[in-house]
């Protein structure tokens, strides 16, 4: 994973735990999850709009 070994990942996790504390990490992960979900929803909306535009183009060509 990104050229990191298990020891490096554990050290990074330990540093994050020291910086943010045990209570703050679940809040950070919750916020990150909401951000990812929002991003995916936005991408889905863009895909839907592009599909609608393509459908309208095809209908216009048929007429």
């Amino acid at each position: 994973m990104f050229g990191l070994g298990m020891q490096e990942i554990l050290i990074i996790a330990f540093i994050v735990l020291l910086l943010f504390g045990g209570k703050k990490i679940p809040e950070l992960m919750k916020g990150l999850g909401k951000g990812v979900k929002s991003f995916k929803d936005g991408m889905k909306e863009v895909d839907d709009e592009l599909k609608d535009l393509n459908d309208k183009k095809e209908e216009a060509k048929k007429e």
Side-chain angles (χ1 to χ4, degrees):
M1 185 166 101
F2 304 114
L4 296 175
M6 189 61 163
Q7 291 178 340
E8 289 88 2
I9 293 173
L10 288 175
I11 291 170
I12 292 169
F14 181 71
I15 292 170
V16 168
L17 183 63
L18 285 176
L19 289 175
F20 296 108
K23 293 182 181 179
K24 215 47 164 161
I25 291 175
E27 293 174 20
L28 291 171
M29 293 300 114
K30 184 178 179 181
L32 181 64
K34 285 183 181 181
V36 169
K37 184 177 185 239
S38 176
F39 179 76
K40 285 182 180 180
D41 290 343
M43 291 300 294
K44 184 179 178 196
E45 287 178 18
V46 170
D47 287 341
D48 291 344
E49 288 181 25
L50 288 174
K51 184 179 176 185
D52 289 343
L53 286 174
N54 285 336
D55 290 345
K56 288 180 183 177
K57 267 187 181 179
E58 290 178 13
E59 287 177 11
K61 285 182 182 179
K62 288 180 182 178
E63 293 177 354

mmCIF file of all heavy atoms in Angstrom, residues 9-39:
data_model
loop_
_atom_site.group_PDB
_atom_site.id
_atom_site.type_symbol
_atom_site.label_atom_id
_atom_site.label_comp_id
_atom_site.label_asym_id
_atom_site.label_seq_id
_atom_site.Cartn_x
_atom_site.Cartn_y
_atom_site.Cartn_z
ATOM 1 N N ILE A 9 3.094 2.022 8.812
ATOM 2 C CA ILE A 9 1.668 2.286 9.032
ATOM 3 C C ILE A 9 1.370 2.361 10.528
ATOM 4 O O ILE A 9 0.625 3.243 10.982
ATOM 5 C CB ILE A 9 0.804 1.207 8.343
ATOM 6 C CG1 ILE A 9 0.949 1.343 6.826
ATOM 7 C CG2 ILE A 9 -0.660 1.336 8.750
ATOM 8 C CD1 ILE A 9 0.291 0.233 6.044
ATOM 9 N N LEU A 10 1.962 1.463 11.313
ATOM 10 C CA LEU A 10 1.746 1.490 12.759
ATOM 11 C C LEU A 10 2.314 2.763 13.392
ATOM 12 O O LEU A 10 1.694 3.349 14.281
ATOM 13 C CB LEU A 10 2.366 0.248 13.410
ATOM 14 C CG LEU A 10 1.633 -1.064 13.156
ATOM 15 C CD1 LEU A 10 2.422 -2.236 13.747
ATOM 16 C CD2 LEU A 10 0.240 -1.028 13.725
ATOM 17 N N ILE A 11 3.466 3.191 12.933
ATOM 18 C CA ILE A 11 4.063 4.427 13.463
ATOM 19 C C ILE A 11 3.177 5.624 13.130
ATOM 20 O O ILE A 11 2.923 6.477 13.986
ATOM 21 C CB ILE A 11 5.499 4.613 12.912
ATOM 22 C CG1 ILE A 11 6.423 3.554 13.517
ATOM 23 C CG2 ILE A 11 6.020 6.011 13.211
ATOM 24 C CD1 ILE A 11 7.788 3.503 12.878
ATOM 25 N N ILE A 12 2.693 5.691 11.906
ATOM 26 C CA ILE A 12 1.802 6.786 11.512
ATOM 27 C C ILE A 12 0.527 6.761 12.344
ATOM 28 O O ILE A 12 0.060 7.803 12.822
ATOM 29 C CB ILE A 12 1.494 6.711 10.004
ATOM 30 C CG1 ILE A 12 2.760 7.015 9.198
ATOM 31 C CG2 ILE A 12 0.375 7.669 9.627
ATOM 32 C CD1 ILE A 12 2.647 6.727 7.723
ATOM 33 N N ALA A 13 -0.056 5.577 12.544
ATOM 34 C CA ALA A 13 -1.273 5.461 13.352
ATOM 35 C C ALA A 13 -1.020 5.907 14.789
ATOM 36 O O ALA A 13 -1.855 6.595 15.397
ATOM 37 C CB ALA A 13 -1.783 4.027 13.322
ATOM 38 N N PHE A 14 0.130 5.554 15.328
ATOM 39 C CA PHE A 14 0.489 5.953 16.697
ATOM 40 C C PHE A 14 0.631 7.471 16.797
ATOM 41 O O PHE A 14 0.154 8.090 17.755
ATOM 42 C CB PHE A 14 1.788 5.256 17.119
ATOM 43 C CG PHE A 14 2.219 5.584 18.512
ATOM 44 C CD1 PHE A 14 1.516 5.097 19.599
ATOM 45 C CD2 PHE A 14 3.326 6.390 18.742
ATOM 46 C CE1 PHE A 14 1.903 5.407 20.897
ATOM 47 C CE2 PHE A 14 3.726 6.703 20.028
ATOM 48 C CZ PHE A 14 3.010 6.210 21.112
ATOM 49 N N ILE A 15 1.261 8.079 15.816
ATOM 50 C CA ILE A 15 1.430 9.541 15.817
ATOM 51 C C ILE A 15 0.075 10.232 15.718
ATOM 52 O O ILE A 15 -0.180 11.209 16.428
ATOM 53 C CB ILE A 15 2.373 9.984 14.683
ATOM 54 C CG1 ILE A 15 3.794 9.500 14.984
ATOM 55 C CG2 ILE A 15 2.339 11.489 14.490
ATOM 56 C CD1 ILE A 15 4.765 9.672 13.843
ATOM 57 N N VAL A 16 -0.806 9.721 14.853
ATOM 58 C CA VAL A 16 -2.150 10.293 14.735
ATOM 59 C C VAL A 16 -2.890 10.165 16.060
ATOM 60 O O VAL A 16 -3.566 11.108 16.503
ATOM 61 C CB VAL A 16 -2.942 9.611 13.588
ATOM 62 C CG1 VAL A 16 -4.408 9.973 13.623
ATOM 63 C CG2 VAL A 16 -2.335 9.979 12.243
ATOM 64 N N LEU A 17 -2.764 9.038 16.715
ATOM 65 C CA LEU A 17 -3.406 8.829 18.013
ATOM 66 C C LEU A 17 -2.877 9.815 19.044
ATOM 67 O O LEU A 17 -3.643 10.393 19.827
ATOM 68 C CB LEU A 17 -3.183 7.387 18.491
ATOM 69 C CG LEU A 17 -3.849 6.984 19.802
ATOM 70 C CD1 LEU A 17 -5.360 7.079 19.656
ATOM 71 C CD2 LEU A 17 -3.456 5.571 20.178
ATOM 72 N N LEU A 18 -1.577 10.056 19.036
ATOM 73 C CA LEU A 18 -0.995 11.017 19.972
ATOM 74 C C LEU A 18 -1.469 12.442 19.684
ATOM 75 O O LEU A 18 -1.746 13.210 20.598
ATOM 76 C CB LEU A 18 0.536 10.972 19.912
ATOM 77 C CG LEU A 18 1.203 9.784 20.579
ATOM 78 C CD1 LEU A 18 2.713 9.842 20.342
ATOM 79 C CD2 LEU A 18 0.911 9.752 22.063
ATOM 80 N N LEU A 19 -1.546 12.797 18.409
ATOM 81 C CA LEU A 19 -1.919 14.167 18.046
ATOM 82 C C LEU A 19 -3.386 14.473 18.339
ATOM 83 O O LEU A 19 -3.719 15.558 18.823
ATOM 84 C CB LEU A 19 -1.632 14.419 16.565
ATOM 85 C CG LEU A 19 -0.164 14.517 16.170
ATOM 86 C CD1 LEU A 19 -0.034 14.639 14.656
ATOM 87 C CD2 LEU A 19 0.492 15.705 16.845
ATOM 88 N N PHE A 20 -4.270 13.554 18.000
ATOM 89 C CA PHE A 20 -5.696 13.831 18.086
ATOM 90 C C PHE A 20 -6.376 13.221 19.303
ATOM 91 O O PHE A 20 -7.477 13.627 19.660
ATOM 92 C CB PHE A 20 -6.409 13.357 16.813
ATOM 93 C CG PHE A 20 -5.955 14.097 15.592
ATOM 94 C CD1 PHE A 20 -5.158 13.487 14.644
ATOM 95 C CD2 PHE A 20 -6.325 15.412 15.383
ATOM 96 C CE1 PHE A 20 -4.739 14.160 13.517
ATOM 97 C CE2 PHE A 20 -5.920 16.101 14.269
ATOM 98 C CZ PHE A 20 -5.123 15.476 13.329
ATOM 99 N N GLY A 21 -5.796 12.236 19.896
ATOM 100 C CA GLY A 21 -6.414 11.591 21.046
ATOM 101 C C GLY A 21 -7.449 10.564 20.619
ATOM 102 O O GLY A 21 -7.956 10.586 19.506
ATOM 103 N N GLY A 22 -7.766 9.668 21.527
ATOM 104 C CA GLY A 22 -8.684 8.567 21.226
ATOM 105 C C GLY A 22 -10.115 9.006 20.992
ATOM 106 O O GLY A 22 -10.856 8.369 20.254
ATOM 107 N N LYS A 23 -10.537 10.119 21.593
ATOM 108 C CA LYS A 23 -11.921 10.564 21.437
ATOM 109 C C LYS A 23 -12.143 11.306 20.133
ATOM 110 O O LYS A 23 -13.240 11.287 19.590
ATOM 111 C CB LYS A 23 -12.306 11.468 22.602
ATOM 112 C CG LYS A 23 -12.353 10.749 23.921
ATOM 113 C CD LYS A 23 -12.782 11.667 25.041
ATOM 114 C CE LYS A 23 -12.797 10.916 26.369
ATOM 115 N NZ LYS A 23 -13.187 11.781 27.468
ATOM 116 N N LYS A 24 -11.122 11.949 19.619
ATOM 117 C CA LYS A 24 -11.269 12.778 18.424
ATOM 118 C C LYS A 24 -11.248 11.958 17.135
ATOM 119 O O LYS A 24 -11.837 12.352 16.138
ATOM 120 C CB LYS A 24 -10.127 13.777 18.426
ATOM 121 C CG LYS A 24 -10.344 15.140 17.907
ATOM 122 C CD LYS A 24 -11.570 15.809 18.387
ATOM 123 C CE LYS A 24 -11.470 17.291 18.113
ATOM 124 N NZ LYS A 24 -12.729 17.933 18.133
ATOM 125 N N ILE A 25 -10.586 10.823 17.143
ATOM 126 C CA ILE A 25 -10.430 10.028 15.922
ATOM 127 C C ILE A 25 -11.773 9.546 15.362
ATOM 128 O O ILE A 25 -12.004 9.666 14.165
ATOM 129 C CB ILE A 25 -9.437 8.867 16.148
ATOM 130 C CG1 ILE A 25 -8.037 9.450 16.331
ATOM 131 C CG2 ILE A 25 -9.452 7.885 14.980
ATOM 132 C CD1 ILE A 25 -6.979 8.457 16.677
ATOM 133 N N PRO A 26 -12.700 9.016 16.183
ATOM 134 C CA PRO A 26 -13.990 8.622 15.601
ATOM 135 C C PRO A 26 -14.736 9.801 14.969
ATOM 136 O O PRO A 26 -15.380 9.648 13.927
ATOM 137 C CB PRO A 26 -14.769 8.064 16.799
ATOM 138 C CG PRO A 26 -13.726 7.612 17.746
ATOM 139 C CD PRO A 26 -12.589 8.570 17.569
ATOM 140 N N GLU A 27 -14.617 10.978 15.570
ATOM 141 C CA GLU A 27 -15.256 12.158 14.992
ATOM 142 C C GLU A 27 -14.634 12.500 13.641
ATOM 143 O O GLU A 27 -15.341 12.846 12.692
ATOM 144 C CB GLU A 27 -15.117 13.351 15.931
ATOM 145 C CG GLU A 27 -15.887 13.205 17.226
ATOM 146 C CD GLU A 27 -15.609 14.351 18.192
ATOM 147 O OE1 GLU A 27 -15.144 15.416 17.750
ATOM 148 O OE2 GLU A 27 -15.852 14.165 19.393
ATOM 149 N N LEU A 28 -13.312 12.397 13.554
ATOM 150 C CA LEU A 28 -12.631 12.671 12.290
ATOM 151 C C LEU A 28 -13.040 11.668 11.216
ATOM 152 O O LEU A 28 -13.282 12.045 10.067
ATOM 153 C CB LEU A 28 -11.113 12.626 12.485
ATOM 154 C CG LEU A 28 -10.503 13.742 13.315
ATOM 155 C CD1 LEU A 28 -9.036 13.440 13.602
ATOM 156 C CD2 LEU A 28 -10.633 15.068 12.616
ATOM 157 N N MET A 29 -13.129 10.400 11.580
ATOM 158 C CA MET A 29 -13.519 9.374 10.615
ATOM 159 C C MET A 29 -14.973 9.555 10.169
ATOM 160 O O MET A 29 -15.297 9.343 9.003
ATOM 161 C CB MET A 29 -13.318 7.977 11.204
ATOM 162 C CG MET A 29 -11.871 7.614 11.449
ATOM 163 S SD MET A 29 -10.889 7.645 9.953
ATOM 164 C CE MET A 29 -9.789 8.995 10.292
ATOM 165 N N LYS A 30 -15.825 9.975 11.089
ATOM 166 C CA LYS A 30 -17.221 10.231 10.741
ATOM 167 C C LYS A 30 -17.307 11.370 9.733
ATOM 168 O O LYS A 30 -18.024 11.280 8.736
ATOM 169 C CB LYS A 30 -18.013 10.573 12.001
ATOM 170 C CG LYS A 30 -19.489 10.770 11.761
ATOM 171 C CD LYS A 30 -20.208 11.057 13.073
ATOM 172 C CE LYS A 30 -21.678 11.280 12.846
ATOM 173 N NZ LYS A 30 -22.383 11.590 14.091
ATOM 174 N N GLY A 31 -16.549 12.429 9.982
ATOM 175 C CA GLY A 31 -16.521 13.551 9.048
ATOM 176 C C GLY A 31 -15.966 13.154 7.694
ATOM 177 O O GLY A 31 -16.474 13.577 6.656
ATOM 178 N N LEU A 32 -14.934 12.331 7.704
ATOM 179 C CA LEU A 32 -14.351 11.852 6.456
ATOM 180 C C LEU A 32 -15.355 10.999 5.683
ATOM 181 O O LEU A 32 -15.495 11.140 4.466
ATOM 182 C CB LEU A 32 -13.087 11.042 6.755
ATOM 183 C CG LEU A 32 -12.329 10.490 5.559
ATOM 184 C CD1 LEU A 32 -11.780 11.625 4.720
ATOM 185 C CD2 LEU A 32 -11.203 9.593 6.031
ATOM 186 N N GLY A 33 -16.083 10.151 6.383
ATOM 187 C CA GLY A 33 -17.103 9.319 5.738
ATOM 188 C C GLY A 33 -18.202 10.156 5.111
ATOM 189 O O GLY A 33 -18.646 9.884 3.997
ATOM 190 N N LYS A 34 -18.632 11.192 5.816
ATOM 191 C CA LYS A 34 -19.666 12.084 5.267
ATOM 192 C C LYS A 34 -19.157 12.805 4.029
ATOM 193 O O LYS A 34 -19.888 12.986 3.058
ATOM 194 C CB LYS A 34 -20.101 13.104 6.319
ATOM 195 C CG LYS A 34 -20.995 12.529 7.380
ATOM 196 C CD LYS A 34 -21.446 13.600 8.360
ATOM 197 C CE LYS A 34 -22.335 13.030 9.439
ATOM 198 N NZ LYS A 34 -22.781 14.072 10.370
ATOM 199 N N GLY A 35 -17.888 13.203 4.074
ATOM 200 C CA GLY A 35 -17.299 13.881 2.919
ATOM 201 C C GLY A 35 -17.232 12.979 1.702
ATOM 202 O O GLY A 35 -17.541 13.394 0.591
ATOM 203 N N VAL A 36 -16.835 11.734 1.914
ATOM 204 C CA VAL A 36 -16.752 10.777 0.806
ATOM 205 C C VAL A 36 -18.144 10.508 0.238
ATOM 206 O O VAL A 36 -18.332 10.458 -0.983
ATOM 207 C CB VAL A 36 -16.077 9.463 1.267
ATOM 208 C CG1 VAL A 36 -16.221 8.369 0.236
ATOM 209 C CG2 VAL A 36 -14.620 9.711 1.591
ATOM 210 N N LYS A 37 -19.131 10.362 1.120
ATOM 211 C CA LYS A 37 -20.503 10.118 0.659
ATOM 212 C C LYS A 37 -21.020 11.300 -0.150
ATOM 213 O O LYS A 37 -21.641 11.134 -1.206
ATOM 214 C CB LYS A 37 -21.422 9.868 1.845
ATOM 215 C CG LYS A 37 -22.831 9.522 1.438
ATOM 216 C CD LYS A 37 -23.711 9.196 2.621
ATOM 217 C CE LYS A 37 -25.054 8.743 2.109
ATOM 218 N NZ LYS A 37 -26.138 9.525 2.555
ATOM 219 N N SER A 38 -20.741 12.502 0.323
ATOM 220 C CA SER A 38 -21.162 13.704 -0.389
ATOM 221 C C SER A 38 -20.495 13.778 -1.760
ATOM 222 O O SER A 38 -21.138 14.133 -2.751
ATOM 223 C CB SER A 38 -20.815 14.935 0.440
ATOM 224 O OG SER A 38 -21.114 16.113 -0.257
ATOM 225 N N PHE A 39 -19.222 13.437 -1.831
ATOM 226 C CA PHE A 39 -18.499 13.440 -3.096
ATOM 227 C C PHE A 39 -19.115 12.441 -4.072
ATOM 228 O O PHE A 39 -19.324 12.752 -5.248
ATOM 229 C CB PHE A 39 -17.028 13.118 -2.859
ATOM 230 C CG PHE A 39 -16.210 13.081 -4.112
ATOM 231 C CD1 PHE A 39 -15.829 14.257 -4.727
ATOM 232 C CD2 PHE A 39 -15.822 11.869 -4.660
ATOM 233 C CE1 PHE A 39 -15.077 14.226 -5.886
ATOM 234 C CE2 PHE A 39 -15.075 11.836 -5.814
ATOM 235 C CZ PHE A 39 -14.689 13.014 -6.435
#
